[in-house]
Amino acid sequence: MLSRVYSAAVTGIDAYQVEVEVNCGYGETFIALVGLPDAAVKESKDRVSTALANSGFKFPMGKTTINLAPADVKKEGPSFDLPIALGMLAASEQLETDQLDNFIAVGELALTGAVRPCKGVLPIALRARANGLVGVLVPPENAAEAAVVDGLQVIPVQNLREAVQFLEGEIKLAPARVDIDRIFAHPAGDEHDFSEVKGQESVKRALEIAAAGSHNVLLVGPPGTGKSMLAKRLATILPPLTLAEALETTQIHSIVGLLAAGQALVTQRPFRAPHHTASDAGLLGGNINPTPGEISLAHHGVLFLDELPEFKRSVLETMRQPLEDGIVTISRAAGTMTFPAQFMLVAAMNPTPDGKMPGESKSTPREIQNYLGRISGPLLDRIDMHIEVPAVKFRDMAAGPTGETSAQIRERVVAARKIQTARFAGKPKVTCNARMGARELKAHCGLDDATKDLLKFAMTDLNLSARAYDRILKVARTIADLAAAETISGEHVSEAIQYRSLDRQLWG
């Protein structure tokens, strides 16, 4: 007898539906699994056969053929265990139901028949809704993330027998429910706060501007000045995630398997800090069938690269296209994948190999040049703000906490972002000042004659590139938004220029 069960697999950050066709015939007892399965999928027949026996079902006799369609796309992971088991039971007439066409089933089976969690359940639930199915059968640990999809029955099943009894109508299982408003109303508490940072008021101001416009930042200063401490607190002043941003971010984390058991959504902006030994594939994503890397895991959040010159130059150069376009495209023999990568880059580095400023360093000019030369000019041009982090004075260290809290700074950042949201309404690809293109710059960054002369003088004196000119305008627009100013003034441009001067002092 022939049966069909719907399942799904993930490619990129999206899911596609898979038909699990099972045919039980005559002849020698044998299981043939076809449809480009990987090693984990091939092993499912052994897990399924044992799970069937331990769940009180009979193993189908004769030749059993299992086809995973479409057959020209490689299938990965153990999530096909549950649909294969249901298909074998239906084909051997141990499962009699008309509900198999209404649900997508995913889940790994333990040898006892228990259903174990798997990756990528959120994009699978979104695919089920898009295809007009009634619901999904999922492991209990994955029910919360699937339940954020409206208009879909999310049925958590503890084991294989419970899934069979539900499909046959012997038992009723309550669909999983989550209260999205409650999840956003009670986010996890921040471990860090800007009030803990002593001194560094100018750096705090610069990071507030960066957060308000989502600008990339390079922090340059000697060791022990608080570069990492400041970077870790940047995420605490960013605007809260919207529901659309949370869904995108959760999809990526679900695919990689970073969601905790029972977690429904990622409600805080990600903060990723890969080590400087990270490879190209680790940062951008890779493998034979590409999976998201660190820059995609930082989508709608912060990617912090500490000790920037210690990263391989080839790794840093691969970031140029994602920084410009907000996406990363990976091409392999198996196909081309595109992952979202709209993140804030925050990098930190010492000014010289021994950590001191150039005038105080004992390193030779050639050693300093070789050290700074690990970072290319095109990559520097894509970083909007270059900030010097000076040593903290003793009186600041000895004083108690006097600075503003992250919540106070975030209020101003959120107000500036609201101005940008209204400004770019109807342009989904432009969500903040840092994402402005040539048209938006022309429309929203007009300057008077005096301000133009000031910018012209700075361009000539600092020998800035055309890309740096655009960056100055974007930062100036953000400074004006923080001041709730309609137009960009010379004061705003002057402050923006100072965030481009440091790289010319060091690299010029």
Side-chain angles (χ1 to χ4, degrees), residues 415-457:
R417 284 290 185 100
K418 286 181 178 178
I419 295 173
Q420 295 166 48
T421 300
R423 177 184 298 135
F424 304 125
K427 297 181 179 180
K429 292 186 178 180
V430 184
T431 56
C432 55
N433 289 337
R435 295 288 169 192
M436 284 194 291
R439 291 182 180 178
E440 290 77 25
L441 283 171
K442 184 177 181 181
H444 305 296
C445 297
L447 305 176
D448 58 32
D449 291 340
T451 308
K452 285 181 180 177
D453 291 340
L454 171 63
L455 187 52
K456 179 182 178 181
F457 175 78

Side-chain angles (χ1 to χ4, degrees), residues 1-3 24 57-58 60 86-97 168:
M1 183 178 175
L2 177 65
S3 69
C24 292
F57 297 106
K58 295 180 181 179
L86 294 175
M88 292 177 69
L89 291 174
S92 60
E93 301 181 346
Q94 298 180 73
L95 169 60
E96 297 181 0
T97 180
E168 290 184 333

Side-chain angles (χ1 to χ4, degrees), residues 347-416:
M349 61 175 288
N350 298 326
T352 59
D354 60 6
K356 298 180 180 179
M357 295 304 290
E360 305 170 352
S361 175
K362 296 181 179 180
S363 301
T364 65
R366 179 173 292 276
E367 289 174 338
I368 296 175
Q369 183 180 12
N370 290 339
Y371 177 75
L372 297 175
R374 298 176 188 176
I375 306 170
S376 69
L379 179 60
L380 279 174
D381 279 346
R382 285 170 170 82
I383 300 177
D384 302 1
M385 304 172 65
H386 309 136
I387 305 165
E388 181 179 357
V389 185
V392 183
K393 298 179 180 179
F394 173 77
R395 65 172 179 269
D396 293 327
M397 290 296 300
T402 57
E404 291 181 298
T405 64
S406 293
Q408 291 173 312
I409 301 173
R410 179 189 274 191
E411 287 182 7
R412 297 194 294 270
V413 170
V414 170

